[in-house]
Amino acid sequence: MHLAYPAVLSVLLFCTGLYGVLARRNAILVLMSVELMLNAVNLNLVAFDVWLSKAAEETLHSGQALTLFTIAIAAAEIGIGLAIVLAVHRNRGTSDIDKLRDTAEGPDDGPDDGPDDGGPGTGTPAAGPAAEKAEATA
């Protein structure tokens, strides 16, 4: 088997994944595209391992071992990534990446030079227990 076939397939998979990362707005589709790119790298690792093992007398199959580590890391990455996306979707109501660019702090949450609304010596607004309860549930 020629090395060119799996290499061309790997390049096509990687370019498809790269397009998905750059063009998609949904966070889950971006994670799927990253997984596609990692699978293209795994295909390259295994193909080059097989190609190099034909030339060497003693083979260690290091490309296949590295592929197993990459698969394990990719599984952990997708698990953590999906947990983060679900938490963000639950809090914000969307998984659109363009809408998630603003941080947790709003434009009015930063320090300002004006007087405080909470009275003398306090740094919190005088909204009472309702505001504290809303902050606790957020």
Side-chain angles (χ1 to χ4, degrees):
M1 180 173 84
H2 295 282
L3 183 62
Y5 298 133
V8 168
L9 179 62
S10 177
V11 166
L12 290 174
L13 284 174
F14 192 85
C15 289
T16 305
L18 185 64
Y19 173 75
V21 167
L22 295 176
R24 298 291 179 194
R25 294 182 184 210
N26 191 352
I28 295 175
L29 291 177
V30 170
L31 285 174
M32 289 173 59
S33 298
V34 168
E35 289 296 319
L36 195 62
M37 291 168 60
L38 286 173
N39 286 332
V41 170
N42 289 339
L43 179 64
N44 249 346
L45 285 171
V46 171
F48 275 96
D49 182 49
V50 169
W51 183 65
L52 289 174
S53 68
K54 290 181 180 178
E57 296 172 4
E58 298 177 7
T59 59
L60 295 176
H61 298 292
S62 57
Q64 294 177 14
L66 188 59
T67 299
L68 289 176
F69 285 118
T70 307
I71 290 171
I73 290 172
E77 175 256 335
I78 200 70
I80 292 171
L82 281 176
I84 291 171
V85 167
L86 287 176
V88 167
H89 188 275
R90 187 176 298 151
N91 287 337
R92 303 249 178 136
T94 183
S95 62
D96 191 4
I97 293 176
D98 290 336
K99 293 180 182 175
L100 298 177
R101 290 192 182 188
D102 55 337
T103 60
E105 295 182 16
D108 297 332
D109 292 340
D112 56 329
D113 295 334
D116 292 332
D117 295 335
T122 61
T124 60
E132 291 176 7
K133 185 177 180 182
E135 287 181 7
T137 58

